[in-house]
Amino acid sequence: MLEQILVLLPQVIFDGFILGFVYAMVALGYTMVYGVLELINFAHSEIFMIGAVVGVEVFRYLAPHVENGFLLLLLALVLGGAISGLTAILVERFAYRPLRKRGTTNRLVPLITAIGVSFILQDLVRLIEGLWHNEFFLRMRTVEDLEGSVELFGGAIFAQNKSFILMGVSILMLLGLTYLVNRTKLGVAIRAVAQDLSTASLMGIDPDRIISRTFLIGGSLGGVAGVLFALQYTTITPYVGFLPGLKAFTAAVLGGIGNIPGAMLGGLVLGQLENFFGTYLPILTNGNFGTEYKDVVAFLILILILLLRPQGLLGQVVKEKV
Amino acid sequence: MSALSFLLSLAYLGLAFLAPGALSHLLGLLALGVSAFARLSPGARTLNLALLTLAFTVGLMGSGNTLGLIGLVGILVALTTLPRIPTWIRALLGLAILLLSVPLAGFANTFIFELGIQIGIYAAMALGLNVVVGMAGLLDLGYAAFFAVGAYTWAIFGSEQAKNFLQGEFPLPGEYVYLFMLIAILTTALTGLLIGLPALRLRGDYLAIVTLGLGEVVRILANNLDHPINFTNGPQGITPIARPPIDWFREAMAALGVRLDQTTDYQLFFYLLVLLMIGLVVLVNVNLANSRFGRAWVAIREDEIAARSMGIPLLPTKLLAFMTGAAFSGVMGVIFAAQRTFVSPESFTLLASITILGMVILGGMGSIPGAILGAAALTILNLDILKSFSEFVRTSLPQIPSQVDPAKYERLVFGLILVLMMIFRPEGLIPEKRHKAEMEEA
């Protein structure tokens, strides 16, 4: 058994990284919105799903016309990011802003709204895809350029080109976002709003505009993640966002919610753990417990983290004001 | 004004006799709206409601169109919410609707029994969740997990399933349903304790996410515990599940002069059983709300830190709320399993949890009539309105592709309801006093 485990290990770690980068990219969106509004934007899973669907559609319609696979992917990423970002802005404008304007103190109200929005988006996409193609079960078209693969370490790891693209893009996203938040004027404004919304508005910042942009950035990142997810895992439905969304939230909490490098780290740790258990549980238990239990592992990690280190791996303790 | 509404009600009564159906029911709903919202004297209003009850019953017996059931639900709501109606009339009319009108309509169209039973099961669960969310302010997104535990508690022992890991005579005879309703209280309360002990140390959003995750864990377990030992039979679910024997019930009904046949006997029995359970649950709910624990829950909901400073032990008090809600759900799970004679993990998804939460929110958090109204509204919407709308689309507009079948867009409708309620009326349709004050203050 041990031998079997060791033989598989490099591949398991590599696949864990891919999964981890997907979670990390989605977790960035959760963390951004949470950092500014302290809102768990449940609908972010659906923003991610919309990105994935746009990716599939772009490949379906443009693949016969665009020769170069990398150019095609770039188009899909841009379109997926744009449409997802736009959806995020609309969601903020029509679902969250009215609540903010009324100034409810009850924390349950925005959370329930977010769940409602997420249901609406799932079925809207299903409706559109149903009308368009008469089915909503989508498969990503394969494009030759992106399907190439290499074998690393004497065949211990089988790696596809698209996996490297996924990792590269997510690292770029992390760096870009860190730069944006720490070094640009918009970043300063975002941090100011996150710190104290009413004081920021006294300093000449329009909080609505900044929040809108935060949603745009978070949503676009989610959309880009969705396109890459569709490319990597190929089968997409309108309900595909739920589990990755929940895991990404777990990742954000794991890393310390509101903390951008933390979201990245949390995603990677969670991806590794999940892939590890997903692969080895059947082997370790002689097939008695299957891969399905990997989701259970993710939830148990979430609970443990929240109980033992609620501020997350990289987060800071916030003192409760009385 | 009162003459007009009286005439409207009379006109509907006549129409219900002569031409029962969807159109006459629509007139009835209009008449109900007028007598509920117009400025009427208490006497005229009471008379109107009584007339309408009679008319809806007659109409339902004539056609079995479920719009009439919506009318009856509307009258029940009017009876519980409108002021200055004498209490004995409220009680009399309410009982007449529940014990006479609905069964009479059920004999005309057995789907009405089915609808009544489902509404009842969900109403009892909404009342259970109301203790957790409405009173104690703990957002639980995994409530269907307890329903699942209750349902599987009886499903496993009330079918051959238990033979896979136990020696003995299975399925257990149907009489054991009653015993298992008690056992389910224990198993679900225990599950509530297991889930609550870690989860309830968290607050607000985190609690919501963790209960959501744990609810998913229960569903994954139900889906996969068919190996290495077959407990739940996996995705296929368990069937047939034993039902309680009801010979005594048939005899009692025959003594009353009611003739039951194969299709209606169990329907009527479960309908009455569910009504009884709701009565009990409401009783427990009212008593809890006025008890030491009820006040402690409200205190925690309003301000956790202040409550703690006043010496309320947080974790045990919250756990009690969680376990109480779980126990209600567990009992209804047993009834659900026995009534359907089939359970599968499909009935206990996140959508089910959110639907029950939607019922509590739609009705008004913390409000008992609200939870029941919410359950009625969402169940009718889901089982009846969306389905008949689908049928209408399929028959009269066949050129529309089946992918646009309205019955498939349950989530869309729920989502819209949740979002619109949160924006326009977060206190719910029948708000509880304290919640209403809180929302207005904000």
Side-chain angles (χ1 to χ4, degrees):
Chain A
M1 201 199 308
L2 191 66
E3 201 176 329
Q4 203 180 354
I5 289 176
L6 283 177
V7 169
L8 286 175
L9 195 60
Q11 185 70 47
V12 168
I13 292 176
F14 183 78
D15 290 345
F17 268 116
I18 301 172
L19 191 62
F21 275 116
V22 170
Y23 290 160
M25 283 188 285
V26 184
L28 288 177
Y30 273 110
T31 272
M32 285 228 19
V33 170
Y34 194 91
V36 173
L37 286 185
E38 296 216 340
L39 161 75
I40 299 179
N41 181 18
F42 255 108
H44 192 65
S45 334
E46 274 54 54
I47 303 289
F48 162 79
M49 174 274 291
I50 287 175
V53 171
V54 171
V56 172
E57 295 296 346
V58 168
F59 270 63
R60 184 203 302 257
Y61 284 102
L62 293 186
H65 308 293
V66 181
E67 290 280 304
N68 188 331
F70 296 100
L71 183 64
L72 186 64
L73 180 60
L74 189 67
L75 278 174
L77 289 177
V78 170
L79 265 174
I83 293 177
S84 291
L86 232 99
T87 318
I89 290 185
L90 288 178
V91 166
E92 195 277 323
R93 176 71 193 76
F94 291 105
Y96 301 146
R97 194 176 294 179
L99 304 180
R100 211 163 56 239
K101 286 284 164 291
R102 212 183 42 226
T104 354
T105 48
N106 194 335
R107 290 287 297 273
L108 306 187
V109 171
L111 190 66
I112 291 164
T113 308
I115 295 173
V117 169
S118 128
F119 276 180
I120 294 175
L121 290 179
Q122 285 176 0
D123 265 3
L124 269 186
V125 171
R126 177 179 165 151
L127 184 67
I128 293 169
E129 289 295 326
L131 284 175
W132 198 355
H133 303 300
N134 212 13
E135 66 164 5
F136 62 85
F137 200 83
L138 307 170
R139 281 193 70 82
M140 189 79 175
R141 189 189 173 109
T142 45
V143 173
E144 246 172 59
D145 288 359
L146 304 171
E147 295 303 314
S149 58
V150 284
E151 294 196 349
L152 302 174
F153 303 109
I157 297 178
F158 171 81
Q160 286 172 300
N161 291 348
K162 55 189 184 186
S163 317
F164 293 114
I165 298 176
L166 189 148
M167 293 182 189
V169 172
S170 43
I171 291 171
L172 274 181
M173 270 161 79
L174 171 73
L175 295 178
L177 198 60
T178 315
Y179 175 81
L180 183 119
V181 170
N182 290 327
R183 294 287 155 83
T184 61
K185 218 171 161 185
L186 176 62
V188 175
I190 288 178
R191 279 184 288 148
V193 172
Q195 194 70 240
D196 187 336
L197 201 138
S198 50
T199 313
S201 63
L202 292 178
M203 301 296 153
I205 294 171
D206 178 1
D208 281 345
R209 234 171 77 187
I210 298 302
I211 289 169
S212 211
R213 291 203 178 154
T214 312
F215 271 80
L216 175 69
I217 297 165
S220 317
L221 295 182
V224 169
V227 174
L228 292 168
F229 178 83
L231 187 69
Q232 186 70 34
Y233 298 99
T234 60
T235 313
I236 301 297
T237 72
Y239 309 112
V240 83
F242 172 64
L243 267 182
L246 203 57
K247 305 270 180 58
F249 176 75
T250 306
V253 174
L254 183 61
I257 194 154
N259 182 318
I260 291 170
M264 207 75 185
L265 180 69
L268 290 179
V269 171
L270 191 68
Q272 284 298 348
L273 283 172
E274 189 184 315
N275 210 44
F276 188 84
F277 281 102
T279 316
Y280 288 135
L281 259 181
I283 298 177
L284 287 173
T285 60
N286 284 324
N288 286 334
F289 291 98
T291 315
E292 314 83 52
Y293 288 95
K294 66 180 198 285
D295 296 339
V296 176
V297 173
F299 296 133
L300 294 183
I301 292 171
L302 176 65
I303 294 170
L304 275 180
I305 289 291
L306 285 174
L307 287 179
L308 300 177
R309 202 179 153 81
Q311 74 273 26
L313 295 175
L314 299 185
Q316 290 164 340
V317 187
V318 182
K319 277 263 160 34
E320 194 167 349
K321 280 178 255 176
V322 180
Chain B
M1 201 66 215
S2 50
L4 171 75
S5 71
F6 185 65
L7 277 179
L8 248 167
S9 303
L10 267 185
Y12 168 52
L13 182 59
L15 213 62
F17 260 114
L18 298 173
L23 278 178
S24 71
H25 281 323
L26 277 180
L27 179 73
L29 291 178
L30 176 76
L32 176 62
V34 170
S35 51
F37 292 108
R39 296 166 65 87
L40 297 178
S41 68
R45 178 171 281 158
T46 313
L47 186 66
N48 258 339
L49 289 179
L51 263 181
L52 286 172
T53 308
L54 182 65
F56 275 121
T57 312
V58 170
L60 270 171
M61 284 166 67
S63 75
N65 188 300
T66 44
L67 273 180
L69 191 68
I70 297 177
L72 288 180
V73 171
I75 293 176
L76 283 178
V77 173
L79 287 173
T80 42
T81 52
L82 291 179
R84 291 186 301 161
I85 298 176
T87 315
W88 67 273
I89 289 189
R90 284 178 208 260
L92 200 70
L93 265 183
L95 282 179
I97 289 176
L98 291 175
L99 296 181
L100 285 177
S101 305
V102 177
L104 282 174
F107 288 122
N109 175 5
T110 45
F111 178 62
I112 288 180
F113 270 137
E114 182 62 31
L115 211 52
I117 294 168
Q118 296 304 324
I119 291 175
I121 289 177
Y122 278 109
M125 279 201 286
L127 285 169
L129 186 62
N130 191 32
V131 172
V132 183
V133 180
M135 289 189 198
L138 308 166
L139 191 54
D140 180 358
L141 295 184
Y143 191 64
F146 303 123
F147 189 40
V149 170
Y152 273 102
T153 302
W154 171 239
I156 289 173
F157 292 97
S159 69
E160 307 224 325
Q161 201 60 30
K163 278 187 182 162
N164 294 329
F165 56 92
L166 278 182
Q167 303 225 307
E169 284 287 307
F170 293 106
L172 290 175
E175 291 94 335
Y176 279 85
V177 166
Y178 308 109
L179 177 65
F180 268 79
M181 281 158 74
L182 295 179
I183 294 178
I185 291 182
L186 292 180
T187 54
T188 44
L190 195 70
T191 318
L193 186 73
L194 280 178
I195 290 184
L197 259 183
L200 289 175
R201 291 167 203 273
L202 309 166
R203 293 209 297 197
D205 307 345
Y206 283 159
L207 175 65
I209 297 279
V210 165
T211 49
L212 188 156
L214 287 170
E216 278 296 293
V217 168
V218 169
R219 196 185 57 80
I220 293 171
L221 287 179
N223 227 339
N224 293 300
L225 274 184
D226 51 349
H227 62 93
I229 302 171
N230 188 351
F231 287 106
T232 64
N233 209 22
Q236 294 100 323
I238 302 175
T239 194
I241 300 163
R243 295 194 282 191
I246 55 164
D247 290 327
W248 61 272
F249 179 72
R250 281 196 206 97
E251 277 165 28
M253 282 293 129
L256 285 173
V258 182
R259 287 173 52 90
L260 296 171
D261 57 35
Q262 291 291 333
T263 53
T264 50
D265 54 356
Y266 269 105
Q267 298 273 34
L268 180 64
F269 172 74
F270 275 111
Y271 172 74
L272 292 177
L273 180 65
V274 166
L275 268 193
L276 181 74
M277 291 312 298
I278 293 189
L280 284 177
V281 170
V282 169
L283 210 67
V284 175
N285 244 316
V286 171
N287 278 308
L288 274 178
N290 294 324
S291 73
R292 194 157 62 89
F293 300 114
R295 291 174 207 289
W297 289 335
V298 174
I300 288 179
R301 182 186 81 199
E302 299 296 314
D303 190 337
E304 204 170 296
I305 297 162
R308 192 166 55 187
S309 324
M310 289 302 175
I312 294 173
L314 284 189
L315 189 63
T317 314
K318 285 181 178 179
L319 263 180
L320 191 73
F322 216 64
M323 287 162 69
T324 312
F328 285 155
S329 184
V331 174
M332 297 325 281
V334 172
I335 295 180
F336 179 81
Q339 191 250 338
R340 289 262 183 107
T341 68
F342 169 68
V343 296
S344 77
E346 294 236 319
S347 313
F348 314 108
T349 53
L350 174 71
L351 186 64
S353 296
I354 305 280
T355 308
I356 304 169
L357 181 69
M359 291 166 180
V360 176
I361 290 165
L362 183 68
M365 281 193 261
S367 145
I368 291 173
I372 298 176
L373 172 66
L378 286 189
T379 312
I380 290 178
L381 179 77
N382 193 10
L383 288 183
D384 186 39
I385 297 182
L386 284 180
K387 290 236 162 74
S388 11
F389 191 49
S390 283
E391 223 143 87
F392 168 75
V393 169
R394 224 172 294 142
T395 47
S396 14
L397 305 162
Q399 66 274 28
I400 288 183
S402 66
Q403 298 288 342
V404 201
D405 191 353
K408 290 179 183 158
Y409 294 92
E410 206 183 314
R411 288 167 194 247
L412 184 71
V413 177
F414 280 143
L416 279 174
I417 290 176
L418 288 182
V419 172
L420 293 178
M421 283 301 285
M422 286 301 113
I423 292 177
F424 295 109
R425 203 177 159 89
E427 73 271 20
L429 295 175
I430 309 178
E432 187 225 16
K433 268 182 252 156
R434 196 190 302 268
H435 260 105
K436 194 178 172 188
E438 195 181 306
M439 293 285 180
E440 274 165 7
E441 212 172 278

